[in-house]
Every structure is written in C-alpha cells, then in structure tokens.
Amino acid sequence: MRIATTVFLTDETITPVRLARELEQRGFAGLFLPEHTHIPAARTTPYAAGGELPPEYTRTLDAFVALGQAAAVTDRLALGTGITLVAQHDPIALAKQVATLDHLSGGRFTLGVGFGWNVEEAADHGVTWSERRELVRERMALMRALWAPEPTAYEGRLASVSASLAYPKPAGGAPRVLVGGAAGPSLFAHITEYADGWLPIGGRGLRTAVPALREAWERAGRDPKALQVVPYAVRPEPGKLAHYADQGIEEVVLQLPPGNELEVLRALDSYARYL
C-alpha cells in the first residue's frame, strides 16, 4: 500500500521544502495540501467537523505555490491537492496552474476536487451556493477542453471557453482527478463523469460505500479496474490499513499535525511503521 501524507502547511509550520525532502528520503509516497483563500471573520457556517474552527484554516499557504516548491526539491514524491475548491477559482487560470505543475513535476500531480463547506468564503468568490456543484462540474469540463491535444471549445450554462491554444499540457494529457465528499448518488455521479476516483475524508464507512460507488462506476461504462479509492486525512490505528487493503485499496493519505518542524518529524517517525 502506498502511504502518502497531508498537512495544513501555514506560515507557522514546517516549510514545504523541508517536509518534501523528508517525505521522499523516508519513502513516503506523496504530499497532499488543502486550501482556503481566507476565512471571513463574520462566518456563521459551522465547522463541518464540529467545535471551533482550528486556527490553521486561516493561515494555509497557497497549495500550488507550496507544491511547486516541493516538486523542485524532489524526484519521486507524488504531489496533490486535498482539495482544490474549484468553484472558487477562475477555471482558465486553474487549468494553467494544474498543467504547469504536472508538466514541471513530470506527471506527479493529482488534482483533488472539492465543493466546499464555508458559505461565506464561497460567497466572497461570487459563488451561488446552490449552484456550486454544477459550477464545479462545468469548470472541470472546461479545464479538460484546455488540456485536450487539439484546440477544443466548451460551452456550458455556467462556464465556457473558445477553442484555444493552451500550453503546457499536463504530462500525461490530464492529471489524476479524485473527488472528495460524502458518499451518495450526487457525489458518485460527479466521480463517474469526470474523475478517476474518490477521496473520502477520514476513510469511514467504506465497507458499504465502495460497493455502491463501484456499481455506479460500472453503470456509467467506466473500466471496473480503473476506479481508485484513496482514504484521505486518515489517522492510522492498528488494523485500519489492513482493513483498507482487504477492500482492494492500494493508497492512503495519512494526516500530519500542523506543527513545527520537530512535531511533524516526530509524526513521520511514528508513521514510518506503516511503510
């Protein structure tokens, strides 16, 4: 099983360069980073995990800049977002960022896609909350048009682009795309339409959810062997990784603490037993 990691990197934590080097040297498979552009001070949306919003949410580094640093000092480490709030990005600019990072890293990038939970944050980006899922769907189609080998137009209700010359292209034609979110028909429809798999946060409930996703995947005419399920932000416990392996899962992303260099390296020492 490939063991990757995720962490809230901030202006107070270990740096992307130091962490990326340590991960590759120790044999970890990858580094995924979350994003929040800002957290409105007057936020009324409750934190999805309950309780007070952890302070690191207000201090996250830009994921693409940080991953660019990580790419520059590593050769094998996979790089990904966990997740990119696609509705909060200009899709033409985002397509360029993704393609550039994947090109420069030699095809090591995974685009984790999410819909968001913070209504106020999304509103500041001009996102109509009830349309955010459809907006993400259309923007993903637009980006794939820009990544296509020949100039390709996309015309949707919420997003469009003319047939364009857009380089560089992602190293393999398109990056791996994993969609995060809670299990259900709506999420599975997004995964089967434009993604390579699911990024389930915390990795709970997979015993019933994965078969349902596989059924939806096959109904959509997708290759049964191609579906990827990558439990994300997992806090490892005895038997948990074996449980995932029994379900055919080949990759997991472990949660690191948003701490200083010493705290993060201690966590890596602890997680080394799973490699």
Side-chain angles (χ1 to χ4, degrees):
M1 180 175 286
R2 298 187 301 279
I3 307 296
T5 61
T6 183
V7 63
F8 277 86
L9 289 183
T10 77
D11 55 330
E12 298 179 327
T13 66
I14 189 172
T15 67
V17 166
R18 181 63 194 278
L19 177 57
R21 284 173 168 157
E22 290 288 341
L23 288 170
E24 184 159 275
Q25 289 171 5
R26 293 162 183 256
F28 286 90
L31 171 63
F32 286 71
L33 298 181
E35 71 163 3
H36 281 282
T37 53
H38 68 301
I39 301 294
R43 175 182 61 90
T44 60
T45 306
Y47 174 42
E52 293 296 318
L53 184 70
E56 59 265 23
Y57 278 73
T58 70
R59 311 186 74 104
T60 54
L61 302 182
D62 178 277
F64 285 90
V65 173
L67 289 170
Q69 283 199 332
V73 298
T74 57
D75 297 310
R76 302 177 305 280
L77 190 72
L79 310 161
T81 55
I83 48 70
T84 296
L85 295 164
V86 173
Q88 297 180 189
H89 287 263
D90 177 291
I92 298 173
L94 180 59
K96 173 71 79 173
Q97 288 177 284
V98 169
T100 300
L101 181 52
D102 196 59
H103 168 73
L104 292 176
S105 67
R108 289 187 277 153
F109 181 66
T110 293
L111 177 63
V113 172
F115 307 103
W117 60 268
N118 190 332
V119 177
E120 291 78 19
E121 179 185 359
D124 282 349
H125 286 277
V127 176
T128 299
W129 192 248
S130 62
E131 291 187 332
R132 73 193 189 285
R133 290 178 179 271
E134 180 62 15
L135 183 61
V136 169
R137 188 187 73 80
E138 291 197 13
R139 287 184 173 179
M140 288 301 302
L142 183 156
M143 290 195 291
R144 287 195 181 278
L146 290 172
W147 297 332
E150 300 297 332
T152 302
Y154 174 75
E155 184 68 35
R157 184 175 67 87
L158 300 173
S160 62
V161 69
S162 59
S164 302
L165 300 171
Y167 295 88
K169 302 297 183 184
R176 180 174 68 157
V177 174
L178 301 175
V179 179
S186 177
L187 179 80
F188 292 168
H190 280 265
I191 293 172
T192 60
E193 179 180 352
Y194 59 77
D196 300 293
W198 184 24
L199 203 62
I201 307 298
R204 292 183 293 275
L206 298 186
R207 188 177 296 278
T208 56
V210 170
L213 173 57
R214 292 191 188 282
E215 182 179 345
W217 183 267
E218 293 182 31
R219 280 201 313 269
R222 305 290 300 270
D223 180 357
K225 297 180 181 179
L227 175 63
Q228 300 179 50
V229 177
V230 183
Y232 185 80
V234 171
R235 300 187 184 279
E237 299 170 359
K240 184 180 285 188
L241 299 190
H243 169 68
Y244 292 153
D246 289 343
Q247 298 179 66
I249 290 171
E250 299 178 346
E251 181 179 359
V252 65
V253 182
L254 303 184
Q255 181 72 59
L256 291 170
N260 60 33
E261 189 171 294
L262 181 59
E263 291 170 318
V264 172
L265 296 183
R266 282 175 176 168
L268 291 182
D269 288 339
S270 174
Y271 291 173
R273 75 188 78 170
Y274 302 110
L275 296 176

